[in-house]
Amino acid sequence: MTMLHRILVLCFALLWAVSASAQQGYQIKAGDQLSIEVLEDPSLNRQALVLPDGRISFPLAGSIIAGGRTTDDVRQQLSSALASNFASPPSVFVSVLALGQQANGTGSRRTIDVYVIGEVETPGMIEVRRGTTLLQMLSQTGGFTRFAATKRIQLRRVNPQTKTYVTYPFNYRAVESGAQISGSTVLSNGDVIVVPQRRLFE
């Protein structure tokens, strides 16, 4: 390990310690935005949205449960999950970048929380009025990035019986013709809209 690398590790550790002490004991909730950094591989650094089921997705680590846990718990789990990809366990830093808006009881709420991830200009949790449609929601994200696969958009909705996500494909470019869902599909609280990245010749 070079001297520069040691200094960088020390600086990141000090910054993480200050951040961690401020966030110590905080339990991560759905809708929170996490900042995750891997010192040994900056290409893995990213922000992760905590989905309604409490999970986040991270490259090389897969799906990780973050909801109800502290940032230190998530840091340790990510470090363990990533360890097989490095010569020694990586230095992972996790902090809460933004807090999700918490519900005050869903029965009387006039709004719902919808999560948008992927190739849109402003991904994250967005609070919208009840009755908002899929197309209206997409318009609130600031539009698609140039890498968006608009023919393969997914609406993921929790099945109340099985507590698992059911995925409904949506083609933004197609005229509504017998698809499972359309742009006029009304969203429900906790829905997740995924706009994947376009493939090479798509």
Side-chain angles (χ1 to χ4, degrees):
M1 185 181 285
T2 67
M3 181 61 87
L4 179 59
H5 188 256
R6 287 181 182 165
I7 292 171
L8 284 173
V9 169
L10 181 60
C11 288
F12 273 108
L14 287 172
L15 287 171
W16 178 81
V18 170
S19 174
S21 65
Q23 298 179 10
Q24 185 177 14
Y26 174 75
Q27 291 192 337
I28 297 166
K29 297 176 177 59
D32 288 352
Q33 192 91 13
L34 304 182
S35 173
I36 303 172
E37 298 178 55
V38 181
L39 188 60
E40 289 77 5
D41 187 355
S43 70
L44 292 174
N45 295 354
R46 65 199 59 231
Q47 296 173 15
L49 176 69
V50 183
L51 296 177
D53 63 357
R55 293 182 175 272
I56 60 169
S57 293
F58 198 79
L60 306 178
S63 181
I64 300 289
I65 296 175
R69 307 176 75 192
T70 65
T71 53
D72 193 52
D73 293 336
V74 176
R75 179 190 64 77
Q76 290 177 17
Q77 187 173 359
L78 279 171
S79 184
S80 297
L82 294 170
S84 63
N85 299 287
F86 296 88
S88 60
S91 303
V92 179
F93 303 97
V94 179
S95 61
V96 178
L97 190 64
L99 297 176
Q101 298 174 1
Q102 303 304 316
N104 300 327
T106 56
S108 59
R109 290 184 70 201
R110 295 183 180 176
T111 60
I112 59 172
D113 297 331
V114 178
Y115 302 78
V116 185
I117 55 178
E119 299 299 323
V120 292
E121 293 297 335
T122 53
M125 186 190 78
I126 302 176
E127 189 175 337
V128 295
R129 290 182 305 188
R130 290 187 180 276
T132 298
T133 67
L134 178 56
L135 277 181
Q136 290 169 339
M137 179 70 225
L138 289 171
S139 73
Q140 293 189 43
T141 64
F144 301 113
T145 70
R146 60 192 181 112
F147 303 107
T150 55
K151 295 181 180 179
R152 295 189 290 112
I153 296 171
Q154 298 174 2
L155 171 63
R156 297 183 184 177
R157 179 170 290 171
V158 173
N159 180 321
Q161 279 76 40
T162 63
K163 305 297 183 190
T164 58
Y165 279 103
V166 178
T167 301
Y168 303 94
F170 171 64
N171 183 347
Y172 176 78
R173 301 287 178 197
V175 177
E176 299 170 12
S177 57
Q180 287 187 30
I181 62 169
S182 68
S184 59
T185 298
V186 175
L187 299 174
S188 296
N189 191 53
D191 279 354
V192 179
I193 299 169
V194 181
V195 182
Q197 191 173 34
R198 205 173 54 224
R199 298 187 186 109
L200 186 57
F201 295 108
E202 189 172 5

